[in-house]
Each structure stands twice: as C-alpha cells, then as structure tokens.
Amino acid sequence: MTWDADEIMTVTAARSLAGRTSCFVGIGLPSTAANLARRTSNPDLALIYESGAIGAKPTVLPLSIGDGELGETADAVVSVPEIFNYWLQPGRVDVGFLGAAQVDRLGNINTTVIGDYAAPAVRLPGAGGAPEIAASCRETIVIVRHRPRILVDRLAFVTSLGFGDGPGHRAALGLRGRGPIRLITDLGVLEPDPETCELTLASIHPGVTVDEVRAATGWPLAVRADLAVTAPPTPAELTALRSLTRGGSVA
Amino acid sequence: MAELVSLAEGVAELVHDGDTVALEGFTHLIPVAAGQEIIRQGRRGLTLVRMTPDIVYDQLIGAGCAARLVFSWGGNPGVGSLHRFRDAVENAWPGPIEIEEHSHAGMANRYVAGASGLPFAVLRGYVGTDIAKHTTTVSTVTCPFTGEVLTAVAALNPDVAVIHAQRADRRGNVQMWGITGVQKEAVLAARRSLVTVEEIVDELDPRPDAVVLPGWVVSAVAHVPRGAHPSYAQGYYDRDNDYYQAWDPISRDREAFAKWLDEVTA
C-alpha cells in the first residue's frame, strides 16, 4: 500500500504511544494519532480529554475535544476543574500529546500570536490546556507538519514550555515532567540532544532526504550519527487510519 | 427560588450593558440561543468571560457587544480560526477589544475560587510561559507550610453566568449530565444566573452522574428547546458539525457576517 506524508506522520506518532498507560490528548493531529494507537500499538491506552473524559473510546474520530462520543464512551466523565486539578496536575498522566502553531529548537510551543502581542500579525487560539499538559505530564510528544515557519529558531511568545532556555531550565522552575521527548513531523522524527536539549533529527521517513528536512527547518538542524529511516506504515496501520479519518465506524 | 421566564425576559432582566458575563459550556451544552438573544437586545460594553470562546462569542464580538474578552482558547473547534474574534484583535473591527488570557487550568481554578468565596486559587501552572507577562490576574503565592512558590490566579466573579442544561423542574431546580465542564462553578461564582433548558418537567427523576443546581442558587430558568444548537445536548440532539464548518466562510467575511447578523436580529 502506498501512503502520504500525513499518514506516515500519524502512524509514527501512534507507535510512539506503545507501552504507555495514559495519554492527555490535544485535538487535531494528536487526537487522530492517539485514537490510531488504540486500534494498533496500544489497545488499552487510556485517552484523557480536557473536557473531562477519562478513558474515552470513541468509535469515530472526534471533531472537538468535547464531542458526545467522548463522554458517552468514557470510563468516567469529570468536571473541567477536576480533570486539571486531580488528574493532570499531580503528574499521574504518562504522556501529553500536543500540536502547535510553532515549535522552537528547544521544544517550546507557541499557540498564542505571530508577531507583537499587542498588535499581532496573526492572532492564534491561545493556550487551552497545553501549558499545564506540557508542564505536568511525565513526558510530552509534539506533532506538527514540518515547515520553516512552524519549526522556528526562537519563539516570540512561549505558550507552553519545552526545555525553556536549555538544560536544567525545567528543573530550576520546579516542573515535574521531563518535557518533550519527541517531535514527530511529516518528514521525520526529532529528539532532544541529551546534552543540549536541542531537537535533532533522529529518523527520516522513507523517501525523504536530510537536505529536504534541513530546508524545512528554521534552525541549522543537527543530524544524529545513528540517523534511522522510519519503518513504513504497515497495511494494518493504514487500514485502521483510513477507516478512522474517513469517518467509518472502527469499534 | 428561580423564576421561570422567557429567554427575552431573562436576558432583559439579568444581562445589562457593561456587565461581566460568562456564557459557559465546554463543547457540550453551549448557551448559543442566549448569546443570540443578547445580540438581539443590543447589549454593549460587555466583558465576556468564557474558557472556549467559540462560535457563540465570535457572534457576540462581531455584533459589537464586547469591550473585553477573558478566555483561554479561542477557536472554531475542529475547523480553525474565529475570524470575528481575530478581526477584533488584529484590526479593532467592529471596535477595539481588550483581551485577558489564561490557560484552561487557570480559568477553571479562577471559577473554583469565585464559587468558593476565595480571592484566588492556587495551582501549578503558567510556569516558564509568556502568558503571565500579559495578564495581571496571574501571580505567585508562597506555601506557608513548605515555602514552595506556587501560581496564584485571581477569582472570577461574573455579574451573570449563562448556561444551558437538559432539564429543570417548575421550581427551577436544574439538572444536566454528560460533559458538564465548568458550569456549576460559573453559576456559583456569579452574582446572577440564567439557565436555558431543553425541557421543563414536573419532577426531576434522579440520574446517575447528573449535576444538579438547586433552584435557590439560580436566578432564572428559560425553556429554550435546541438552545445549545449547533453544540449538542446529550440525550436530545447531536453536535451539528456542518454548522461549525458553514460558520467559517460567514465569519471570514464582514459582509457575510453583516447579512447573518441582519437575519438574526430581524
């Protein structure tokens, strides 16, 4: 089966959730990947949505973080204050899975504005649940399409913290979670360098060249010595993904 | 005891020019009909508070009802931008709008503090982000027991909270279920409240997991079937995803929006 760039991105992201118990899910690309994980790499994964749905098992892909399907299929539905205070804040969720308008080389996220805050060129939706998801989940995985205007050197506005200014910054701020362990794009996978925290190219998707990835990255991208090529999506993964995104019932 | 009123009476009585108004409902049970009634009655200078100012606030902002917006995520869920909101922030159209923004955890805790009669709430939040630099209602507080420095957010006490629920009885006791968001906290934090409901029943039979607001904490209840459309009311109707898609081209274009506004206010 052939596949497109978005499909290998989503499949790769779903594989990243293997072995995890719980995932706090952002809407959009993260939600598609997390729901695919439940149908492929991790059927028992507890999906948590900020609307208060814990252990949601939607049979169709939700369009919003509060679709009826999420509440009706959940193990429990709690209030919004409870989902943030009791479930997210103490650090009991394994993975926070986030999208972003922009990500910088240290994994910080902007979803607030492009340009000056007081007179923005583009006003984005804002923070939502992301600042505390990025702070309090044990680890964070970020998924974006790989473009120079999305993967930028520095952010004008940090909405959600990755590694901040670099090594030690999260710990100095008292944050409990490890921060972003992986940035998955439609071209490859970036992971933080253990010394510098800078996102470096760990894997490229089949058919993509390192030069293409560099050209689509807003900073001089370092490439890991052990650069891998992402395993192509299997027919089972693609079938599950397509039934999900085409709105078919995949229960 | 809550008064049973028409939607027009409820808005006229409870929502005044210049008020701080919170319409809550987290994707589910959004009080959209009440928002449109506020537009029809021509309220001005409102401070609109809402965690997720989606279509309902895009409409109020485009109609010129808002002077300020207090929020944590402003988008058309699953579709994209709120273009009336963006036009106001980016181009001051139809007028300038002041914004005060938070994270969801911060907004939820602000309502909790307001409902609890406390001046602020404590959380682990905003740390290392640029949000607090632009928002005067985020600060820090030192734990008196451990010395740990934590984030503090100011209580929210709206003049009026407006929510939509599945049912109420004739004494104004309100029952809602499914995803109930932050509505209980919003009503208890507010000085006044208006609840629109799908159905008024003689007797509220108990439901597992339902949130019940006794009539004595609610100012008024209005019977507004489909009052949450295009959002949904679990047990009554589903989310109208097509409406959210169809809103995008209306919201993008000032003329298309003006035409929509004429139809709503006609």
Side-chain angles (χ1 to χ4, degrees):
Chain A
M1 286 168 91
T2 58
W3 67 89
D4 66 23
D6 271 8
E7 287 177 328
I8 192 164
M9 168 173 67
T10 306
V11 164
T12 305
R15 290 174 188 161
S16 293
L17 296 171
R20 271 37 178 244
T21 299
S22 54
C23 177
F24 209 106
V25 187
I27 203 62
L29 298 173
S31 182
T32 309
N35 278 285
L36 180 61
R38 280 198 68 257
R39 288 164 178 78
T40 52
S41 66
N42 192 345
D44 294 329
L45 181 66
L47 304 185
I48 303 173
Y49 285 83
E50 63 196 16
S51 54
I54 299 174
K57 295 168 274 291
T59 55
V60 294
L61 199 62
L63 185 64
S64 81
I65 43 78
D67 278 19
E69 180 76 4
L70 297 175
E72 285 165 21
T73 62
D75 296 327
V77 179
V78 301
S79 73
V80 168
E82 180 175 330
I83 201 76
F84 286 104
N85 288 351
Y86 296 1
W87 297 91
L88 177 62
Q89 184 165 263
R92 64 178 98 246
V93 180
D94 285 341
V95 191
F97 203 167
L98 297 171
Q102 291 185 317
V103 187
D104 73 12
R105 65 202 290 170
L106 290 164
N108 302 301
I109 289 173
N110 173 25
T111 54
T112 302
V113 290
I114 308 290
D116 181 53
Y117 184 79
V122 180
R123 177 62 228 197
L124 300 165
E132 286 76 25
I133 296 172
S136 294
C137 288
R138 294 194 180 106
E139 304 173 327
T140 316
I141 297 174
V142 184
I143 180 168
V144 294
R145 293 191 180 91
H146 211 130
R147 309 285 181 270
R149 64 184 166 78
I150 297 176
L151 279 75
V152 299
D153 186 35
R154 281 184 71 84
L155 295 176
F157 192 103
V158 175
T159 313
S160 301
L161 201 72
F163 294 107
D165 297 334
H169 194 183
R170 288 181 68 89
L173 292 171
L175 298 183
R176 294 165 164 199
R178 278 174 66 194
I181 57 154
R182 193 165 294 138
L183 173 66
I184 295 156
T185 78
D186 51 353
L187 299 181
V189 177
L190 283 65
E191 291 179 356
D193 179 90
E195 302 289 318
T196 65
C197 298
E198 182 172 311
L199 293 171
T200 58
L201 188 62
S203 173
I204 50 173
H205 299 332
V208 176
T209 68
V210 170
D211 284 347
E212 282 173 72
V213 184
R214 283 196 165 126
T217 307
W219 67 85
L221 180 67
V223 178
R224 271 211 334 225
D226 60 346
L227 178 71
V229 176
T230 312
T234 65
E237 286 170 326
L238 287 172
T239 302
L241 175 59
R242 287 170 189 172
S243 66
L244 197 55
T245 54
R246 285 169 195 171
S249 177
V250 286
Chain B
M1 207 50 74
E3 234 185 312
L4 295 187
V5 297
S6 71
L7 177 57
E9 288 165 352
V11 167
E13 194 178 316
L14 296 169
V15 183
H16 314 132
D17 285 353
D19 274 355
T20 296
V21 185
L23 274 67
E24 280 297 350
F26 206 88
T27 305
H28 181 209
L29 296 174
I30 299 174
V32 179
Q36 293 177 358
E37 181 60 27
I38 293 170
I39 292 174
R40 271 193 292 277
Q41 295 195 17
R43 290 294 173 279
R44 289 293 177 266
L46 302 177
T47 291
L48 293 178
V49 183
R50 177 166 167 73
M51 291 183 63
T52 56
D54 40 29
I55 285 179
V56 61
Y57 276 16
D58 210 34
Q59 295 174 347
L60 280 153
I61 291 166
C65 303
R68 288 187 78 227
L69 177 67
V70 181
F71 74 107
S72 41
W73 189 87
N76 181 345
V79 179
S81 286
L82 293 178
H83 295 280
R84 294 299 90 227
F85 159 64
R86 281 185 57 180
D87 206 11
V89 174
E90 294 169 10
N91 309 310
W93 194 94
I97 189 162
E98 196 187 318
I99 58 171
E100 175 185 333
E101 65 182 302
H102 283 268
S103 66
H104 278 349
M107 281 292 282
N109 277 288
R110 297 187 69 196
Y111 279 121
V112 169
S116 307
L118 291 169
F120 68 91
V122 179
L123 72 154
R124 299 181 188 282
Y126 301 86
V127 175
T129 77
D130 288 327
I131 301 167
K133 292 177 187 167
H134 301 277
T135 305
T136 57
T137 45
V138 180
S139 188
T140 56
V141 63
T142 302
C143 171
F145 305 106
T146 64
E148 189 179 2
V149 176
L150 297 159
T151 301
V153 286
L156 262 174
N157 290 104
D159 293 309
V160 57
V162 181
I163 67 165
H164 186 77
Q166 278 100 339
R167 303 196 295 193
D169 66 18
R170 295 185 194 286
R171 292 171 300 154
N173 298 306
V174 171
Q175 192 186 45
M176 58 184 158
W177 60 88
I179 290 169
T180 53
V182 75
Q183 290 98 300
K184 177 159 116 179
E185 289 77 9
V187 166
L188 295 178
R191 291 169 187 88
R192 305 184 293 275
S193 56
L194 171 63
V195 182
T196 58
V197 294
E198 289 299 323
E199 210 179 347
I200 297 205
V201 295
D202 291 327
E203 189 79 30
L204 284 178
D205 50 317
R207 285 188 66 102
D209 298 329
V211 169
V212 173
L213 289 167
W216 54 271
V217 296
V218 173
S219 307
V221 170
H223 182 210
V224 187
R226 293 188 66 79
H229 176 266
S231 79
Y232 67 103
Q234 193 173 314
Y236 292 81
Y237 47 91
D238 291 334
R239 192 174 191 267
D240 183 355
N241 289 331
D242 292 345
Y243 185 108
Y244 284 84
Q245 303 278 1
W247 181 250
D248 190 68
I250 298 169
S251 174
R252 274 177 193 276
D253 183 75
R254 289 178 187 173
E255 276 182 33
F257 176 78
K259 188 162 164 278
W260 176 87
L261 191 56
D262 283 345
E263 285 163 14
V264 165
T265 52

